Amino acid sequence: MNIEQLKLQYKSELLNNVVPFWLSHSLDKEYGGYFTCLDAEGKVFDTDKFIWLQARQVWMFATLYNKVEEKKEWLDCAEHGANFLLNHGHNGDFDWYFSVDRQGAPLVDPYNIFSYTFAAMAFSALSLAANNERYGEIAKATFEKVLARKDNPKDRWDKSAGGRSLKNFALPMILCNLSLEMEHLVDPDFLKATIDTCIDEVMEVFYRPELGLVLENVTQDNQLSDTFDGRLLNPGHAIEAMWFIMDLGKRLDRPELIEKAKNIALEMVEYGWDEKYGGIFYFMDRKGAPLQQLEWDQKLWWVHLETLICMLKGYDFTGDERCKSWFEKVHEYSWKHFAGDAGGEWWGYLNRQGEVLHQLKGGKWKGCFHVPRALFQCWQVLEQLEKK
Amino acid sequence: MNIEQLKLQYKSELLNNVVPFWLSHSLDKEYGGYFTCLDAEGKVFDTDKFIWLQARQVWMFATLYNKVEEKKEWLDCAEHGANFLLNHGHNGDFDWYFSVDRQGAPLVDPYNIFSYTFAAMAFSALSLAANNERYGEIAKATFEKVLARKDNPKDRWDKSAGGRSLKNFALPMILCNLSLEMEHLVDPDFLKATIDTCIDEVMEVFYRPELGLVLENVTQDNQLSDTFDGRLLNPGHAIEAMWFIMDLGKRLDRPELIEKAKNIALEMVEYGWDEKYGGIFYFMDRKGAPLQQLEWDQKLWWVHLETLICMLKGYDFTGDERCKSWFEKVHEYSWKHFAGDAGGEWWGYLNRQGEVLHQLKGGKWKGCFHVPRALFQCWQVLEQLEKK
């Protein structure tokens, strides 16, 4: 593996292809915010604005400004989105809608807690970039709302009738990442307690050593549930969480935590890999039962990009050669199928065979986030590796 | 097309393969009701009970009893499900849950109006089969609930934040069918008014002659909406509606309505057919934009079975040879891919290429309904054609 060449490849793809794609195609100069529904050529095919994707793009450009270079264009782009979010993204009390229309009229209620987590992440990064305390206050207010809803994230939009109550992996997993993003804004003791709880949930509750698997849902008292949701696996989700945990392990100087996360990630990528066509499945069932998710066998961009980050960090932090091999294998698959002939932003959705299934660069669930974040992360880790 | 041979093929598949499959595998003799999550061999892989699927199976067996033969086994099977529905399917006031667990504990709230429509249909058919007025009263009470929720079917589970309000095709479409099913229970004048409204909605609002397409969603004032939902097409849904309308046209002696429905069905099947791999797409976008639905290109059993019914009725009622050709084409595809080597109940989900995607005979969205209903309907129409 030629580390220098790889580093240049990831860096150049980020700075010369992907970031320019979003800068040229996504800004709504008339009404503010970003278009995320962009077709193969970058043309807008729908103008609805999904709050979590708006927030993710704010975070991305603020982070590029904070960590790569203080380019005015990047900060302007982040603030362009932040203004729209402040004016139209919430109900006046930092309850963040799921979506609004092009002009900013609310479309879908603040039912989804991930609109909040990514708003917190966006304003946290932007408070650093713009050196603006008001943004920090918004991030904190939103973070408090997330923590208040932590034990009942679906809030009044919960349709469960009481006969079964499961808890879901996504929120503690996102909080592992969000905590580090909020570090400069939150009381250290409080933050440490939050982080400890989340690490414990992810590593001791949702990871089941007897199965060697990270589950998406367990019962409220931390037991396995032999139900559709209780059998569900999302390998990409688990692998993404493992690099969040490795970052926390680094930050907290806990090498045993890094080692454990790296091993779990290896178990999940081996489990999730499609031996027949290559790529990592989107959803699986831990007992091999048929899935509710009709799209289970598709190959999604973020699954593969998060795996690249995770395997590279695993290799950098622990030297495990299996991480290097998996990085190489997923690198080859991803550049061939997701970057392929895309130009600019990558393709998002492939069928099981690896063919492009949706002719889009962005949509309701895909914005300016996983591709540039992964390119940035991989570039940074490769730079570390180069120095060794 | 050898009509006699086809008639025997559909009849035999219904009575010798599909009905026995459900009778042997789906009855929960311990807790009542039916298992619908059955794998390739008919083994139960999940025990949750989805109310609309419970109700559809009650309807199916009551209808076989009413229209094919007064077999005690069929009536017993219908009443077996009806008892479970009465004891566990609703909140005591005929608000029908979406799902309950094996023992009947409520899992998901009565958010979905189609739990109600199929409960009404089930108890209506069963009131005839069992000659039991109480079942008729339950059907009527449930039908009233459906009509009360007609203009706001999502009720308190609606997450829309007010910025856009679309109305959906599914409810008026189902009411076209349900009305005929309820005919023996409802005041004729009231029923006529309901039917007229639904026919008008389906044929004059959701069908757009300028596009030659039936839409899934339009604005409250019957305009096109250039949004994800407003562009959405579901060809199978539209084609299913057209045989409901043809049945109403027959019942109301309105040949011009039959003719129009037949022509719309032909437009939709031509639009929905996959020229590359055969079969009818699940979802499409009327402007060709990328879809939100990741599963858009899959080939679903019910889409093809409803098309068989519709084309056969179109041919029987109008003599249009294009209906005959489409029936033959979809017949060939369906028997090859959905019946194929399945044995008993048919496969439900194919990928675009026509390969089985989910190794299941029933699940959360597939029960004892579309396959046996279509086999029965086709058999009946073929019998009419044979007499000509």
Side-chain angles (χ1 to χ4, degrees):
Chain A
M1 158 159 134
N2 182 330
I3 291 185
E4 194 199 344
Q5 196 187 305
L6 278 172
K7 184 197 75 177
L8 294 175
Q9 183 179 352
Y10 280 86
K11 179 179 174 182
S12 160
E13 183 73 359
L14 175 69
L15 300 179
N16 301 324
N17 280 333
V18 173
V19 167
F21 174 91
W22 292 102
L23 281 172
S24 357
H25 298 295
S26 75
L27 274 76
D28 182 352
K29 290 179 181 149
E30 201 169 337
Y31 293 98
Y34 314 114
F35 299 116
T36 62
C37 297
L38 302 171
D39 71 11
E41 279 76 44
K43 263 206 345 266
V44 178
F45 69 85
D46 196 277
T47 58
D48 282 356
K49 289 168 182 164
F50 305 96
I51 296 307
W52 73 321
L53 294 185
Q54 301 288 312
R56 283 173 156 195
Q57 185 159 347
V58 171
W59 175 85
M60 191 68 235
F61 277 91
T63 298
L64 288 169
Y65 183 89
N66 291 335
K67 301 200 171 165
V68 178
E69 191 187 333
E70 295 194 349
K71 273 199 181 189
K72 183 171 180 305
E73 188 186 25
W74 292 348
L75 183 57
D76 288 349
C77 177
E79 293 209 271
H80 176 84
N83 288 334
F84 185 84
L85 280 177
L86 282 178
N87 292 330
H88 304 293
H90 64 114
N91 66 354
D93 193 27
F94 306 119
D95 286 312
W96 300 90
Y97 296 114
F98 180 74
S99 62
V100 302
D101 71 10
R102 184 179 175 187
Q103 288 78 16
L107 290 179
V108 177
D109 281 350
Y111 80 94
N112 192 313
I113 197 160
F114 299 103
S115 309
Y116 293 62
T117 58
F118 291 104
M121 204 163 136
F123 284 101
S124 178
L126 190 60
S127 75
L128 289 178
N131 195 18
N132 181 328
E133 275 186 27
R134 185 170 165 238
Y135 293 144
E137 293 305 317
I138 295 163
K140 275 199 284 184
T142 302
F143 189 53
E144 275 159 29
K145 294 237 172 194
V146 171
L147 295 177
R149 253 171 89 165
K150 193 162 68 69
D151 298 321
N152 180 25
K154 291 188 182 172
D155 204 25
R156 67 182 175 87
W157 295 274
D158 191 354
K159 290 186 293 202
S160 86
R164 178 184 304 146
S165 175
L166 299 179
K167 56 182 182 181
N168 182 267
F169 176 65
L171 189 56
M173 168 229 175
I174 289 292
L175 285 175
C176 287
N177 182 238
L178 183 57
S179 301
L180 276 187
E181 291 282 336
M182 300 286 298
E183 194 170 6
H184 61 107
L185 292 171
V186 182
D187 169 70
D189 290 341
F190 179 77
L191 196 71
K192 189 179 175 312
T194 304
I195 288 175
D196 286 347
T197 307
C198 292
I199 292 176
D200 186 67
E201 285 280 292
V202 168
M203 302 301 273
E204 307 298 332
V205 173
F206 288 97
Y207 175 65
R208 313 301 290 205
E210 71 275 29
L211 303 172
L213 296 171
V214 177
L215 306 180
E216 286 295 301
N217 299 285
V218 296
T219 65
Q220 293 293 344
D221 56 349
N222 302 341
Q223 302 303 306
L224 298 180
S225 167
D226 189 2
T227 58
F228 278 107
D229 289 337
R231 292 188 301 270
L232 189 66
L233 304 173
N234 182 329
H237 214 196
I239 293 165
E240 181 179 4
M242 291 308 117
W243 78 255
F244 296 168
I245 296 284
M246 284 193 249
D247 273 2
L248 282 170
K250 195 82 178 167
R251 173 71 189 75
L252 303 171
D253 196 19
R254 288 180 55 185
E256 92 295 348
L257 187 62
I258 294 176
E259 182 67 18
K260 186 173 177 186
K262 177 266 295 174
N263 287 335
I264 293 173
L266 285 167
E267 284 181 294
M268 289 304 293
V269 71
E270 272 155 28
Y271 194 92
W273 186 256
D274 178 359
E275 287 299 337
K276 190 163 175 192
Y277 294 104
I280 298 161
F281 288 117
Y282 187 12
F283 290 110
M284 302 175 86
D285 182 289
R286 67 179 167 84
K287 299 182 84 175
L291 288 146
Q292 273 180 25
Q293 288 77 7
L294 297 188
E295 67 276 22
W296 73 275
D297 72 343
Q298 296 179 15
K299 310 294 163 62
L300 269 66
W301 83 108
W302 67 264
V303 169
H304 296 77
L305 285 154
E306 297 303 319
T307 304
L308 290 173
I309 302 172
C310 187
M311 291 300 138
L312 217 43
K313 284 191 193 262
Y315 181 54
D316 180 31
F317 293 172
T318 74
D320 192 322
E321 291 285 329
R322 291 173 300 168
C323 292
K324 182 171 158 234
S325 305
W326 273 110
F327 171 77
E328 289 171 330
K329 192 165 175 171
V330 178
H331 168 90
E332 194 189 344
Y333 183 90
S334 301
W335 284 83
K336 180 171 169 198
H337 295 279
F338 292 109
D341 60 347
E345 171 71 17
W346 293 12
W347 299 118
Y349 303 89
L350 312 176
N351 64 16
R352 183 173 176 186
Q353 292 77 12
E355 299 158 342
V356 176
L357 182 62
H358 291 260
Q359 295 285 326
L360 61 79
K361 298 300 180 62
K364 180 176 177 179
W365 309 106
K366 181 173 190 287
C368 175
F369 186 66
H370 286 286
V371 176
R373 182 174 76 166
L375 294 170
F376 169 72
Q377 285 278 348
C378 289
W379 159 27
Q380 298 301 302
V381 182
L382 287 159
E383 205 157 82
Q384 290 304 315
L385 283 167
E386 201 184 9
K387 288 180 194 155
K388 283 191 178 172
Chain B
M1 163 159 133
N2 182 330
I3 291 186
E4 194 199 343
Q5 195 188 305
L6 278 171
K7 183 197 74 176
L8 293 176
Q9 183 179 353
Y10 280 85
K11 179 180 172 181
S12 162
E13 184 73 0
L14 174 69
L15 300 180
N16 301 325
N17 281 333
V18 174
V19 167
F21 175 91
W22 291 101
L23 280 173
S24 353
H25 298 296
S26 75
L27 274 76
D28 183 350
K29 289 177 183 152
E30 203 169 336
Y31 293 99
Y34 315 114
F35 299 116
T36 63
C37 298
L38 302 171
D39 72 9
E41 279 77 43
K43 261 201 353 261
V44 177
F45 68 86
D46 196 277
T47 58
D48 283 356
K49 288 168 182 163
F50 305 96
I51 297 307
W52 71 321
L53 294 185
Q54 301 289 313
R56 282 172 156 196
Q57 185 159 349
V58 172
W59 175 85
M60 192 68 235
F61 277 91
T63 298
L64 289 170
Y65 184 88
N66 291 336
K67 301 200 171 162
V68 177
E69 191 187 335
E70 294 193 350
K71 274 200 182 188
K72 183 170 180 304
E73 189 186 23
W74 292 349
L75 182 58
D76 288 349
C77 177
E79 293 209 273
H80 176 84
N83 287 334
F84 185 84
L85 281 176
L86 282 178
N87 291 330
H88 305 292
H90 65 113
N91 67 353
D93 193 29
F94 306 118
D95 286 312
W96 300 89
Y97 295 116
F98 181 72
S99 61
V100 302
D101 72 9
R102 183 178 176 188
Q103 289 77 15
L107 291 178
V108 176
D109 280 350
Y111 79 94
N112 192 313
I113 196 162
F114 299 104
S115 309
Y116 294 61
T117 58
F118 290 103
M121 206 163 135
F123 284 101
S124 178
L126 191 60
S127 75
L128 289 178
N131 196 18
N132 181 329
E133 275 186 25
R134 186 171 164 237
Y135 292 144
E137 292 306 316
I138 295 163
K140 275 198 283 183
T142 302
F143 189 53
E144 275 160 27
K145 295 238 172 190
V146 172
L147 296 177
R149 254 171 89 165
K150 192 162 67 72
D151 297 323
N152 181 25
K154 292 189 183 170
D155 204 26
R156 67 184 176 86
W157 296 275
D158 191 354
K159 291 186 294 203
S160 88
R164 179 186 303 146
S165 175
L166 299 180
K167 58 182 181 180
N168 182 267
F169 175 64
L171 189 56
M173 170 231 176
I174 289 292
L175 285 175
C176 287
N177 183 239
L178 183 57
S179 301
L180 278 187
E181 290 282 336
M182 299 286 297
E183 196 171 5
H184 62 105
L185 292 170
V186 182
D187 170 71
D189 289 342
F190 178 77
L191 195 72
K192 190 179 175 310
T194 305
I195 288 175
D196 286 349
T197 308
C198 293
I199 292 176
D200 186 68
E201 284 280 290
V202 169
M203 303 300 274
E204 308 297 333
V205 174
F206 289 96
Y207 174 65
R208 313 302 290 207
E210 72 275 31
L211 303 171
L213 295 171
V214 177
L215 306 180
E216 286 296 300
N217 299 285
V218 297
T219 65
Q220 293 293 344
D221 57 349
N222 302 341
Q223 302 302 307
L224 297 181
S225 167
D226 189 3
T227 58
F228 278 108
D229 289 338
R231 292 188 300 270
L232 188 65
L233 304 174
N234 182 329
H237 214 196
I239 294 166
E240 182 180 4
M242 290 308 119
W243 76 256
F244 295 168
I245 296 285
M246 284 192 249
D247 273 2
L248 282 170
K250 195 82 179 168
R251 174 71 188 74
L252 303 170
D253 197 20
R254 288 181 54 186
E256 92 296 347
L257 186 63
I258 295 177
E259 182 69 18
K260 186 173 177 187
K262 177 265 294 174
N263 287 334
I264 293 173
L266 284 167
E267 284 181 295
M268 289 303 294
V269 72
E270 273 155 27
Y271 194 91
W273 186 257
D274 178 359
E275 288 297 339
K276 191 162 176 196
Y277 294 103
I280 299 162
F281 288 117
Y282 188 12
F283 290 111
M284 302 175 85
D285 181 290
R286 67 180 168 83
K287 299 181 85 176
L291 288 146
Q292 273 180 24
Q293 288 78 6
L294 298 188
E295 68 276 22
W296 73 276
D297 73 343
Q298 296 179 15
K299 310 292 164 63
L300 270 65
W301 83 109
W302 66 264
V303 170
H304 296 76
L305 286 154
E306 298 303 320
T307 304
L308 290 174
I309 302 172
C310 187
M311 291 300 139
L312 216 42
K313 284 191 194 260
Y315 182 55
D316 180 31
F317 294 172
T318 74
D320 193 320
E321 290 285 329
R322 293 173 298 167
C323 292
K324 184 171 157 234
S325 305
W326 272 111
F327 170 77
E328 287 169 333
K329 192 165 175 172
V330 178
H331 168 89
E332 195 190 345
Y333 182 90
S334 301
W335 283 83
K336 181 171 168 198
H337 295 279
F338 292 108
D341 61 347
E345 172 70 20
W346 291 13
W347 299 118
Y349 303 89
L350 311 176
N351 65 15
R352 183 172 176 187
Q353 292 76 12
E355 298 159 342
V356 176
L357 182 62
H358 292 261
Q359 296 285 326
L360 60 78
K361 299 300 180 61
K364 180 177 177 179
W365 309 105
K366 180 173 191 285
C368 174
F369 186 67
H370 286 287
V371 176
R373 182 174 76 166
L375 294 170
F376 169 72
Q377 284 278 347
C378 290
W379 160 26
Q380 298 300 304
V381 182
L382 287 159
E383 204 157 82
Q384 290 304 314
L385 283 166
E386 202 185 8
K387 288 181 194 153
K388 283 189 175 169

Coordinates of all heavy atoms in Angstrom, one line a residue, chain A residues 124-164:
Chain A
S124 N -22.0 23.8 16.9 CA -20.7 23.7 17.7 C -19.5 24.0 16.9 O -18.6 24.8 17.2 CB -20.7 22.3 18.3 OG -19.5 22.1 19.0
A125 N -19.4 23.3 15.7 CA -18.3 23.6 14.8 C -18.3 25.0 14.3 O -17.2 25.6 14.2 CB -18.3 22.6 13.6
L126 N -19.4 25.5 14.0 CA -19.5 26.9 13.5 C -19.1 27.9 14.6 O -18.5 29.0 14.2 CB -20.9 27.2 13.0 CG -21.0 28.5 12.2 CD1 -20.1 28.5 10.9 CD2 -22.5 28.7 11.7
S127 N -19.4 27.6 15.8 CA -19.0 28.6 16.9 C -17.5 28.8 16.9 O -17.0 29.8 17.2 CB -19.6 28.1 18.2 OG -18.8 27.1 18.8
L128 N -16.8 27.7 16.6 CA -15.3 27.8 16.6 C -14.9 28.5 15.3 O -14.0 29.4 15.4 CB -14.7 26.4 16.5 CG -14.7 25.5 17.8 CD1 -14.1 24.2 17.5 CD2 -14.0 26.3 18.9
A129 N -15.5 28.1 14.2 CA -15.1 28.7 12.9 C -15.3 30.2 12.9 O -14.4 31.0 12.5 CB -15.8 28.0 11.7
A130 N -16.5 30.6 13.3 CA -16.9 32.0 13.2 C -16.5 32.8 14.5 O -16.7 34.0 14.6 CB -18.4 32.1 13.0
N131 N -16.0 32.0 15.5 CA -15.6 32.6 16.8 C -16.8 33.4 17.3 O -16.7 34.6 17.7 CB -14.4 33.4 16.6 CG -13.8 33.8 18.0 OD1 -14.1 33.1 19.0 ND2 -12.9 34.8 18.1
N132 N -17.9 32.7 17.4 CA -19.2 33.4 17.7 C -19.9 32.7 18.8 O -20.4 31.5 18.6 CB -20.1 33.5 16.4 CG -21.4 34.2 16.6 OD1 -22.0 34.2 17.7 ND2 -21.8 34.9 15.6
E133 N -20.0 33.3 19.9 CA -20.6 32.7 21.1 C -22.1 32.3 21.0 O -22.5 31.4 21.5 CB -20.4 33.6 22.4 CG -19.1 33.4 23.0 CD -19.0 34.2 24.3 OE1 -20.1 34.4 24.9 OE2 -17.9 34.6 24.7
R134 N -22.8 33.1 20.2 CA -24.2 32.8 20.0 C -24.4 31.5 19.4 O -25.3 30.7 19.8 CB -24.8 33.9 19.1 CG -26.3 33.7 19.0 CD -27.0 34.9 18.3 NE -28.4 34.4 18.0 CZ -28.9 34.4 16.7 NH1 -28.2 34.8 15.7 NH2 -30.1 34.0 16.5
Y135 N -23.6 31.1 18.4 CA -23.7 29.8 17.8 C -23.4 28.7 18.9 O -24.1 27.7 18.9 CB -22.7 29.6 16.7 CG -22.9 30.5 15.4 CD1 -21.9 31.0 14.7 CD2 -24.2 30.7 15.0 CE1 -22.1 31.8 13.6 CE2 -24.5 31.5 13.9 CZ -23.4 32.0 13.2 OH -23.7 32.7 12.0
G136 N -22.5 29.0 19.8 CA -22.2 28.0 20.8 C -23.4 27.8 21.7 O -23.7 26.7 22.2
E137 N -24.1 28.9 22.0 CA -25.3 28.9 22.9 C -26.4 28.0 22.2 O -27.1 27.2 22.9 CB -25.8 30.3 23.2 CG -24.9 31.1 24.0 CD -24.6 30.4 25.4 OE1 -25.4 29.9 26.0 OE2 -23.3 30.5 25.7
I138 N -26.5 28.2 20.9 CA -27.5 27.4 20.2 C -27.2 25.9 20.2 O -28.0 25.1 20.5 CB -27.6 27.9 18.7 CG1 -28.1 29.3 18.7 CG2 -28.5 27.0 17.9 CD1 -27.9 30.0 17.4
A139 N -25.9 25.6 20.0 CA -25.4 24.2 20.1 C -25.7 23.6 21.5 O -26.3 22.5 21.6 CB -23.9 24.1 19.8
K140 N -25.5 24.4 22.5 CA -25.7 23.9 23.9 C -27.2 23.7 24.2 O -27.6 22.7 24.7 CB -25.1 24.8 24.9 CG -23.6 24.6 25.2 CD -23.1 25.2 26.5 CE -23.0 26.7 26.3 NZ -22.4 27.3 27.5
A141 N -28.0 24.7 23.8 CA -29.4 24.5 24.0 C -30.0 23.3 23.3 O -30.8 22.6 23.8 CB -30.1 25.8 23.5
T142 N -29.5 23.1 22.1 CA -29.9 21.9 21.3 C -29.4 20.6 21.9 O -30.2 19.6 22.0 CB -29.5 22.0 19.8 OG1 -30.0 23.3 19.3 CG2 -30.0 20.9 19.0
F143 N -28.2 20.6 22.4 CA -27.6 19.4 23.0 C -28.4 19.1 24.3 O -28.7 17.9 24.5 CB -26.2 19.7 23.4 CG -25.4 18.5 23.9 CD1 -25.3 17.3 23.1 CD2 -24.7 18.5 25.1 CE1 -24.6 16.2 23.5 CE2 -23.9 17.4 25.5 CZ -23.9 16.3 24.7
E144 N -28.9 20.1 25.0 CA -29.7 19.8 26.2 C -31.0 19.1 25.8 O -31.5 18.2 26.5 CB -29.9 21.1 27.0 CG -28.8 21.3 27.9 CD -28.7 22.8 28.4 OE1 -29.7 23.5 28.4 OE2 -27.6 23.3 28.7
K145 N -31.6 19.6 24.7 CA -32.8 19.0 24.2 C -32.6 17.5 23.9 O -33.5 16.7 24.1 CB -33.3 19.7 23.0 CG -33.8 21.1 23.3 CD -35.2 21.4 22.9 CE -35.7 22.7 23.4 NZ -37.1 22.9 23.3
V146 N -31.5 17.2 23.2 CA -31.2 15.8 22.9 C -31.1 15.0 24.1 O -31.7 13.9 24.2 CB -29.8 15.8 22.1 CG1 -29.4 14.3 21.9 CG2 -29.9 16.4 20.8
L147 N -30.4 15.5 25.1 CA -30.2 14.7 26.3 C -31.5 14.5 27.1 O -31.8 13.4 27.6 CB -29.1 15.3 27.3 CG -27.7 15.4 26.6 CD1 -26.8 16.1 27.6 CD2 -27.2 14.0 26.3
A148 N -32.4 15.5 27.0 CA -33.7 15.4 27.7 C -34.6 14.4 27.0 O -35.4 13.7 27.7 CB -34.4 16.8 27.6
R149 N -34.3 14.2 25.7 CA -35.2 13.2 25.0 C -34.5 11.8 24.9 O -35.1 10.9 24.3 CB -35.4 13.7 23.5 CG -36.8 14.2 23.3 CD -37.0 14.9 22.0 NE -37.3 14.0 20.9 CZ -37.8 14.4 19.7 NH1 -37.9 15.7 19.5 NH2 -38.1 13.6 18.8
K150 N -33.3 11.7 25.5 CA -32.5 10.5 25.3 C -33.2 9.2 25.6 O -33.1 8.2 24.9 CB -31.3 10.6 26.2 CG -30.1 9.7 26.0 CD -28.9 10.2 26.6 CE -28.9 10.1 28.1 NZ -28.9 8.7 28.7
D151 N -34.0 9.2 26.7 CA -34.7 7.9 27.0 C -36.0 7.7 26.3 O -36.6 6.6 26.5 CB -34.9 7.9 28.6 CG -33.5 7.9 29.3 OD1 -32.6 7.3 28.8 OD2 -33.4 8.6 30.3
N152 N -36.4 8.7 25.6 CA -37.7 8.5 24.9 C -37.6 9.3 23.6 O -38.3 10.3 23.3 CB -38.9 9.0 25.7 CG -40.2 8.9 24.9 OD1 -40.3 8.0 24.1 ND2 -41.1 9.7 25.3
P153 N -36.6 8.9 22.7 CA -36.2 9.8 21.6 C -37.4 10.0 20.6 O -37.4 11.0 19.9 CB -35.1 9.0 20.9 CG -35.0 7.7 21.5 CD -35.7 7.8 22.8
K154 N -38.4 9.1 20.5 CA -39.5 9.3 19.6 C -40.5 10.3 20.2 O -41.4 10.7 19.5 CB -40.1 8.0 19.2 CG -39.2 7.1 18.4 CD -39.9 5.9 17.9 CE -39.0 5.0 17.1 NZ -39.7 3.7 16.8
D155 N -40.4 10.6 21.5 CA -41.3 11.5 22.1 C -42.7 11.3 21.8 O -43.2 10.1 21.7 CB -40.8 12.9 21.7 CG -41.2 14.0 22.7 OD1 -41.4 13.7 23.9 OD2 -41.3 15.2 22.3
R156 N -43.5 12.3 21.5 CA -44.9 12.1 21.2 C -45.2 11.5 19.9 O -46.4 11.2 19.6 CB -45.7 13.5 21.4 CG -45.4 14.5 20.3 CD -46.1 15.8 20.7 NE -45.8 16.9 19.7 CZ -46.4 17.1 18.6 NH1 -47.3 16.3 18.2 NH2 -46.0 18.1 17.8
W157 N -44.2 11.3 19.1 CA -44.4 10.6 17.8 C -44.3 9.1 17.9 O -44.2 8.4 16.9 CB -43.5 11.2 16.8 CG -43.8 12.6 16.5 CD1 -44.8 13.1 15.6 CD2 -43.3 13.8 17.2 NE1 -44.8 14.5 15.7 CE2 -43.9 14.9 16.6 CE3 -42.3 14.0 18.1 CZ2 -43.6 16.2 17.0 CZ3 -42.0 15.3 18.5 CH2 -42.6 16.4 18.0
D158 N -44.1 8.6 19.1 CA -44.0 7.1 19.3 C -45.3 6.4 19.1 O -46.3 6.8 19.7 CB -43.5 6.9 20.7 CG -43.0 5.4 20.9 OD1 -43.2 4.6 20.0 OD2 -42.5 5.1 22.0
K159 N -45.3 5.5 18.1 CA -46.6 4.8 17.9 C -46.7 3.5 18.6 O -47.6 2.7 18.4 CB -46.7 4.5 16.4 CG -46.9 5.8 15.5 CD -47.1 5.5 14.1 CE -45.9 4.9 13.4 NZ -45.9 5.1 11.9
S160 N -45.7 3.2 19.5 CA -45.7 1.9 20.1 C -46.8 1.8 21.2 O -47.0 2.8 21.9 CB -44.4 1.5 20.7 OG -44.2 2.0 22.0
A161 N -47.5 0.7 21.2 CA -48.7 0.7 22.0 C -48.4 0.0 23.4 O -49.3 -0.4 24.1 CB -49.8 -0.2 21.3
G162 N -47.2 -0.1 23.7 CA -46.8 -0.5 25.1 C -46.5 -1.9 25.3 O -45.9 -2.3 26.3
G163 N -46.8 -2.8 24.3 CA -46.6 -4.2 24.5 C -45.1 -4.6 24.4 O -44.8 -5.7 24.8
R164 N -44.3 -3.8 23.8 CA -42.9 -4.1 23.7 C -42.1 -2.8 23.6 O -42.5 -1.9 22.8 CB -42.7 -4.9 22.5 CG -41.2 -5.3 22.2 CD -41.0 -6.0 20.9 NE -41.8 -7.2 20.8 CZ -42.4 -7.7 19.7 NH1 -42.2 -7.0 18.6 NH2 -43.1 -8.8 19.7

